[in-house]
């Protein structure tokens, strides 16, 4: 398959810069499909295979959120700087700078799912559709379910994790090694991990400023500024057709996703049976099929 050419660049965001990549023609007349990555503090790389969707005529936009990847790094900024509002403003700014604010679809993965739900609840006129992938509706729900999943780890594994968390040694090799069974079961079940996923993983490892500030030391130990945040209150205000995506083995368990299904008026939910937190990588053909059907349904 020959993909449309990609254009890469940066747009100004105040005194900083946001890196972006566009695959396809922004002037095609079809809604631009904007991918909002997870983390917070990850990069676009692990979502790159979605460029295939540009074959439908929808231009595909990836970007790196402030603080990582090709965007401005700010390792000296404290937790008070890294707010949900900052990243909401960055998304709004990107849409305006690219001239797509009147005709776009948002795809938010993991933390990005909460961010796009928050955006959609404000009922922007140019938003035509919404995909919330592998995302909890709140971090309190997420933490509740993390305990359930951690208790199912191999005997002794969670005890090692708890010991390091209590002692503040979560940057140690021992903690990193003890994290792996969880990640291999609930984050990405492919072995070896795909190159695009590893690229994002190492970007976040090399500059964990945002992730550590907002999330914490691991997927299942959220002690950062997001630990009490969620988007449940705004979900009933979302007006656009919404697709929910999750994996059967996802760290974003059905309990964490259920509020989206219950409260968004026009919603459907696709569970990928062989996937965890990365269905677009774990079941790529089915992912393209599901997304193609959804995008065509928007007209």
């Amino acid at each position: 398959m020959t993909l449309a050419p990609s254009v890469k660049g940066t747009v100004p965001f105040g005194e900083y810069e946001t890196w972006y990549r566009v695959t396809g023609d922004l002037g095609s007349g079809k809604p631009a499909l904007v991918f909002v990555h997870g983390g917070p503090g990850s990069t676009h790389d692990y979502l790159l295979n979605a460029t295939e969707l540009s074959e439908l005529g929808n231009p595909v936009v990836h970007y790196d959120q402030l603080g990582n990847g090709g965007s401005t790094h700010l390792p000296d900024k404290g937790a008070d700087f890294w707010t949900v509002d900052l990243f909401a403003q960055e998304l709004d700014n990107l849409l305006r700078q690219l001239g797509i604010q009147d005709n776009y679809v948002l795809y938010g993965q993991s933390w990005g799912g909460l961010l796009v739900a928050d955006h959609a609840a404000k009922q922007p006129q140019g938003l035509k559709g919404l995909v919330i992938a592998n995302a909890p509706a709140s971090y309190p729900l997420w933490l509740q379910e993390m305990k359930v999943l951690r208790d199912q780890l191999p005997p002794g594994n969670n005890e090692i994790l708890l010991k390091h968390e209590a002692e503040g040694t979560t940057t140690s090799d021992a903690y990193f090694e003890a994290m792996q069974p969880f990640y291999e079961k609930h984050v990405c079940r492919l072995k070896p991990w795909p190159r695009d996923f590893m690229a994002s993983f190492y970007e976040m490892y090399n500059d964990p400023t945002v992730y550590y500030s907002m999330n914490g030391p691991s997927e299942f130990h959220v002690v950062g500024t997001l630990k009490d945040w969620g988007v449940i209150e705004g979900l009933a205000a979302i007006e656009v057709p919404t697709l929910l995506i999750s994996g059967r083995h996802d760290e974003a368990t059905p309990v964490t996703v259920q509020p989206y299904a219950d409260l968004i008026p026009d919603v459907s939910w696709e569970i990928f049976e062989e996937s965890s937190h990365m269905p677009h990588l774990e079941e790529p053909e089915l992912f393209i099929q599901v997304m193609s059907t959804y995008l065509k349904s928007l007209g």
Side-chain angles (χ1 to χ4, degrees):
M1 179 179 292
T2 303
L3 292 177
S6 293
V7 176
K8 303 171 186 176
T10 60
V11 296
F13 175 44
E15 59 187 297
Y16 312 119
E17 289 189 331
T18 300
W19 182 95
Y20 70 88
R21 169 182 173 140
V22 177
T23 306
D25 180 10
L26 289 181
S28 68
K30 289 202 170 186
L33 177 58
V34 181
F35 281 81
V36 183
H37 66 68
S42 186
T43 62
H44 77 286
D45 301 85
Y46 75 99
L47 291 163
L48 264 179
N49 70 329
T51 52
E52 187 175 331
L53 292 165
S54 65
E55 291 297 298
L56 298 173
N58 297 79
V60 173
V61 178
H62 290 85
Y63 75 104
D64 287 336
Q65 293 163 28
L66 191 68
N68 220 325
S71 297
T72 306
H73 287 236
L74 296 160
D76 297 327
K77 294 290 187 183
D80 58 337
F81 177 82
W82 303 108
T83 64
V84 172
D85 190 53
L86 173 74
F87 291 104
Q89 290 179 30
E90 183 184 32
L91 175 57
D92 290 343
N93 178 72
L94 179 76
L95 297 172
R96 289 193 303 270
Q97 294 279 356
L98 295 180
I100 57 176
Q101 71 273 20
D102 295 328
N103 192 25
Y104 63 99
V105 174
L106 289 181
Y107 182 108
Q109 200 275 339
S110 197
W111 135 261
L114 289 94
L115 194 60
V116 300
D118 183 62
H119 177 96
K122 298 166 187 169
Q123 302 179 350
Q125 290 198 337
L127 181 65
K128 308 302 182 187
L130 184 69
V131 184
I132 299 171
N134 320 104
S138 80
Y139 281 93
L141 270 180
W142 176 269
L143 284 166
Q144 170 190 313
E145 287 295 284
M146 287 306 102
K147 184 180 187 311
V148 174
L149 297 181
R150 287 173 61 143
D151 286 344
Q152 297 170 2
L153 289 171
N157 187 257
N158 196 33
E159 286 71 22
I160 296 172
L161 295 169
L162 289 169
K163 178 177 182 290
H164 286 285
E165 289 160 5
E167 295 175 357
T169 52
T170 55
T171 58
S172 67
D173 290 343
Y175 185 77
F176 186 81
E177 290 171 11
M179 283 166 36
Q180 289 307 108
F182 182 96
Y183 278 60
E184 291 169 1
K185 186 175 182 182
H186 298 300
V187 180
C188 185
R189 295 168 70 85
L190 297 176
K191 292 182 181 179
W193 282 348
R195 180 182 297 178
D196 289 349
F197 179 60
M198 291 301 296
S200 286
F201 191 85
Y202 280 120
E203 287 273 10
M204 193 158 63
Y205 181 81
N206 290 333
D207 187 352
T209 306
V210 183
Y211 188 72
Y212 283 1
S213 296
M214 298 183 74
N215 187 85
S218 67
E219 292 293 282
F220 45 77
H221 188 50
V222 181
V223 291
T225 55
L226 289 177
K227 68 180 186 298
D228 298 317
W229 183 64
V231 295
I232 294 174
E233 289 182 2
L235 297 180
I238 295 175
E239 296 181 328
V240 296
T242 300
L243 171 64
L244 303 177
I245 288 175
S246 64
R248 179 62 66 191
H249 309 283
D250 207 327
E251 57 180 345
T253 65
V255 170
T256 72
V257 179
Q258 194 66 46
Y260 295 119
D262 291 341
L263 298 171
I264 296 175
D266 184 358
V267 65
S268 59
W269 189 355
E270 188 80 29
I271 297 176
F272 287 68
E273 294 295 335
E274 303 302 321
S275 294
S276 57
H277 201 51
M278 306 282 166
H280 63 283
L281 294 174
E282 295 167 289
E283 295 180 75
E285 292 180 2
L286 180 59
F287 171 77
I288 294 296
Q289 178 186 320
V290 168
M291 283 296 297
S292 298
T293 300
Y294 171 72
L295 289 169
K296 288 173 183 175
S297 75
L298 299 177

